[in-house]
């Protein structure tokens, strides 16, 4: 079937890229060792700190979000280290598999994929790890596969209550810039993010926000690393440069996207998503359908998963969406 | 000083990005799991095989060229493996440092940075490695820091003459699509490439072309890896997909750039660069200056380094270039 | 109120410009006296003949649609000439006022703005003009102000039945490329068109399709003219050029838009609009509202005007549309 | 011959359009009756007054520059009116032919195409017109065909010295925004301009700057007119609107181009062109060639015409330029 008009992505991400961002990206590539680049580099590093709500360090990689998952682990852990992860859905599972491939020992707190991470289960597990074998706790903030958003503030309190020294790592790939998130206030050690969702960019950039504690851990971590190495980034980043060629044109788009978020006001953007999420759930309820997420406190503002009713075929439904 | 008009990059790379490529890149991001993406993925994978002149496998990473250096090593080597590298200049040195950081044992064949890699020295070194401790020979095809192009066909013959089983790895980041290159004919096992030079794209994509022998090596290599893993790419790539989110908009640009190279004809593109290189060297000679590269058979067609005459200041010269 | 996302025009025109057309337009301006321009000029002139369904001449002006109204009259009429016009709505009224300002004597067949032009009234009026004082009959094909589409084939038959020699002029500014139209088959002498509706371009180009009879009339017409003169266009147009500087970048977009219409197939485009129009009227009926057009044979496929119910305020409604 | 790289216009105009302007133009077309358009309209009308250096009225037409020539005449003259024009070159000749076609009586002060207009000749001719039959004096500021720039301040003084009431009309199509020009200070009544040269836009917009005296003349001028009518523009322009559909996307580009000129500073832009013009003439002299313009006070800063030496073929030369 021939299709006329403008195509809109009907998927959880990559999201629609605003024209302002596309236009910003299609300028000629500049010298990444020259003075104009230094301004751009400082602008996006500082701007991203604002989005993460951190006064600490931000690292930007020319990679997809998966790379920032990997960077969080290889900079802070040594081969064989134990990692506690919360099974919130498909992306939590992918992160666990990645940890295994890299030689770590992930342990899953099982979940039913219908709610966010359980802070009590985290606390219970950490309390019995009196030897401190667990080096990191990893949680996906917003699970794209389920529409559940974990309460990171509560996970932080779970670590504190258990008095456990593990690093707290949070994947915000599908929440940063869309749902309230506070790297510093919530005591997160490594936040993982990507360009293609709330930041309104095409895929190709990923991010770590890094606490002093995590940076300290990276000094003794024994995993061999080069591309993802935070230390190598530190020096050049101070003046707005990068140790190897950055994805310059995506950084043009990033600068524009940060401006757009700040012009709108982050809190206003969050409120808009909250309103849209509530509207979507109201529609689902009115249609007599069931939202996948069963815990109202974990409803995602940016994504609502709906159960396909008995007797209907999800593949057939998706085919109609795609064709029409 | 206020500057009017269009800025042109005056550096060896990133190169000027044609408007056709910029326009191709600024289209809305599409679903990377949908049928239209499958067409795009197959088109760029097949197109890049043509540029590499290989009938084998091509791997595309959302990363800068440095990532493809790392991928070449981590897919084929085990911690502690010995690697023979030719010191042709700054980039060969960076690749060596990267190998060290990743836990390998690089050994440098020393060079004076005024010519390409020496096949005789490679052959001599390999002949004395009767135990086969050296697992890979790494050469930078075109050294951006010196303007010398190594003869990869001669390096191949050196390995063959020595009867040595090491993998041959070649960095073509600043030559692919600009200088004659033949992955299959020259028996290269892993070719490393990036988007921002002969491929006329912004930085953000990197490539490996992989021989069957290298693919076989990757099955037993013991380096832990995830983002760079070739095996994980294989299955999805068969139908044009990727195991994690690709840099979709850069792939739009890549498809356009491949079309442009094929429309012009790769051999015509090479001939144009050869002519421009010869013209540049003629000008340097007419000005009474000295070309850095001392071996005419290694003159680079894409880059001519010129010695700053005694009594002149390179920094002052660059400042004038930048300002004017 | 801050607005996020992409703005969509919610007005009858200018219409949404496809990204393909915007991208085509933003290429560097070329020399309008060079050989590449000649190809472009011939391509758009020939392409527009296909859209008008004429084997005759097409004239392209760098102007808005109003200019093509003026061109139709000043090329064929002499000061004081009498013109018969059908009052179908606001745009027919504007065309009449324009004719008066230019020194002609327009005569209106009155209408109630709730249907298209009445062929019987045209025939009756022409029959009593045995002296042939009326030099042209002017009809707006699709009235943007009312959503009524006149039957041009029936108007043609009215002229034929009356045996009257007047030129038939038709304004297709809001119908060409969207609703079935046939310059040659329907014996139209001058068709008037603009770029910003069915041709999917920004405003800035206008068109005349001209019959041999109208071209002949232009040889003796006494209105002084220069910018709009068809004769001056004829020579340069033969080789794809224009007598004065054309709006080159809008012509880039026009070439692309013609390609898009032909790729989709004009008849498929018409069918799509017919379907959308029927869907819109079905919705209006379901809401218990009244379509302005009272004659089903004159329903417009591209525009449906709806009566504001008693007790409601159109300005208040429009304000909501604009803000939300 | 296949050509690689970016094409640069090598002609006097249309000039190269900056990327900023192309990007500004390729945004979605907006409603030209809505509040955002009103802001744009007021911005460009006010901005153009600054470029013309007038506190009076500016009129913007969706047309090429030829239209603004026509508008200057039809708004102020009546059929049969006498116009004094200075023969400075090809474009002065075209303007004269246009005046004839529109029914006026142009009289040429002959010139040799190697200098600007002669103020003494203008004064002499006006002195003998004691009856005031001459209604307008028309001068091309910068003659694109010869590279001579007339001194408009001296022409103004010639009218004043003769005590003649004729309107002074000046064509600045190839000078506005590039060479010093002062509508008010120099007592010009109608300035004619186009978008595709100093304003750095594609062709498709034209301009009149209009003195109170010219506006007064338009109230009694008897030429029938509609598209070009200043009076119809006045009302809507006050709030930023236009009486008929404007060329919206070109106006986006105009707003950007005005910003660019103001950011650089008009006087700095003029100085840059002066410097480039002097450099070009120095090169011509060094090559032993002859500049067409023989009067140094009339040298054009934006365009240098060079005589083809005996025994050489201009067409052959242009062919080489085009191909290489």
């Amino acid at each position: 079937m021939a299709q006329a008009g403008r195509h809109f992505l009907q998927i959880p991400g990559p999201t629609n890229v605003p024209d302002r961002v596309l236009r910003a990206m299609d300028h000629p590539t500049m010298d990444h060792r020259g003075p104009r680049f230094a301004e751009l580099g400082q602008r996006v590093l500082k701007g991203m700190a604002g989005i993460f709500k951190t006064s600490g360090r931000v690292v930007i990689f020319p990679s997809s979000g998966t790379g920032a998952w990997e960077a969080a682990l290889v900079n802070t852990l040594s081969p064989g280290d134990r990692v506690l992860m919360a099974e919130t859905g498909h992306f939590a599972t992918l992160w666990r598999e990645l940890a295994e491939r890299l030689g770590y020992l992930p342990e899953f707190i099982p979940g039913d994929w219908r709610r966010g991470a359980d802070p009590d289960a985290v606390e219970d597990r950490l309390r019995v790890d009196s030897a401190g074998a667990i080096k990191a706790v990893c949680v996906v903030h917003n699970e794209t596969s389920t529409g559940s958003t974990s309460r990171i503030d509560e996970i932080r309190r779970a670590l504190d209550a258990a008095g456990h020294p593990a690093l707290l790592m949070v994947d915000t790939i599908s929440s940063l810039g869309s749902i309230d998130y506070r790297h510093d206030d919530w005591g997160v050690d490594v936040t993982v993010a990507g360009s293609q969702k709330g930041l309104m960019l095409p895929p190709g950039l990923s991010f770590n926000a890094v606490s002093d504690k995590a940076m300290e851990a990276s000094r003794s971590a024994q995993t061999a690393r080069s591309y993802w190495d935070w230390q190598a980034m530190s020096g050049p980043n101070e003046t707005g440069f990068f140790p190897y060629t950055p994805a310059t044109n995506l950084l043009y788009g990033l600068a524009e996207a940060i401006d757009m978020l700040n012009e709108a006001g982050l809190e206003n953007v969050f409120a808009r998503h909250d309103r849209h999420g509530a509207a979507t759930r109201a529609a689902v309820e009115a249609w007599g359908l069931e939202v996948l997420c069963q815990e109202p406190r974990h409803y995602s503002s940016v994504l609502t998963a709906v159960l396909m009713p008995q007797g209907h075929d999800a593949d057939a439904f998706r085919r109609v969406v795609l064709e029409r």
Side-chain angles (χ1 to χ4, degrees), chain A residues 220-235:
Chain A
S220 54
Q222 295 300 311
T223 306
R225 59 189 180 272
S226 178
Y227 193 82
W228 310 113
D229 190 46
W230 293 339
Q231 301 291 341
M233 288 280 187
S234 297

Side-chain angles (χ1 to χ4, degrees), chain A residues 84 109-110 117-127 158:
Chain A
L84 184 65
I109 297 177
D118 178 358
D120 293 338
V122 170
E123 183 179 339
D124 291 349
R125 178 64 188 85
L126 292 177
R127 281 190 188 279

Side-chain angles (χ1 to χ4, degrees), chain A residues 85-261:
Chain A
M85 301 178 118
E87 182 191 10
T88 49
H90 180 63
F91 288 91
T93 305
L94 289 178
W95 200 4
R96 190 192 63 171
E97 291 169 6
L98 182 150
E100 280 171 352
R101 278 196 299 272
L102 292 173
Y104 309 114
L105 302 178
E107 177 183 328
F108 237 3
I109 297 177
D112 66 357
W113 293 38
R114 302 196 66 170
R115 66 204 73 245
D118 178 358
D120 293 338
V122 170
E123 183 179 339
D124 291 349
R125 178 64 188 85
L126 292 177
R127 281 190 188 279
V128 300
D129 178 42
S130 51
I134 293 170
K135 299 302 181 193
V137 174
C138 297
V139 178
V140 173
H141 185 212
N142 183 69
E143 252 295 349
T144 310
S145 61
T146 68
S148 296
T149 305
S150 292
R151 298 289 305 252
I152 303 305
D153 52 346
E154 298 179 359
I155 303 295
R156 173 74 264 166
R157 285 197 290 271
L159 271 80
D160 293 345
H164 196 283
L167 296 167
L168 175 57
M169 301 190 183
V170 180
D171 166 0
T172 65
I173 289 176
S174 65
S175 61
L176 192 77
S178 308
I179 300 176
D180 187 20
Y181 187 78
R182 314 174 190 185
H183 180 84
D184 283 4
D185 283 359
W186 294 347
V188 181
D189 292 299
V190 190
T191 301
V192 168
S195 54
Q196 75 272 21
K197 304 207 176 175
L199 295 177
M200 307 178 289
L201 288 162
L205 292 178
S206 74
F207 309 87
N208 282 167
V210 183
S211 73
D212 288 346
K213 182 177 167 187
M215 193 54 101
E216 185 58 35
S218 77
R219 293 201 183 87
S220 54
Q222 295 300 311
T223 306
R225 59 189 180 272
S226 178
Y227 193 82
W228 310 113
D229 190 46
W230 293 339
Q231 301 291 341
M233 288 280 187
S234 297
N237 275 189
E238 268 172 39
T239 46
F241 293 108
F242 291 86
Y244 48 79
T245 310
T248 306
N249 290 50
L250 289 170
L251 295 178
Y252 295 162
L254 178 61
E256 191 76 20
I258 293 169
D259 281 354
M260 291 174 71
L261 286 171

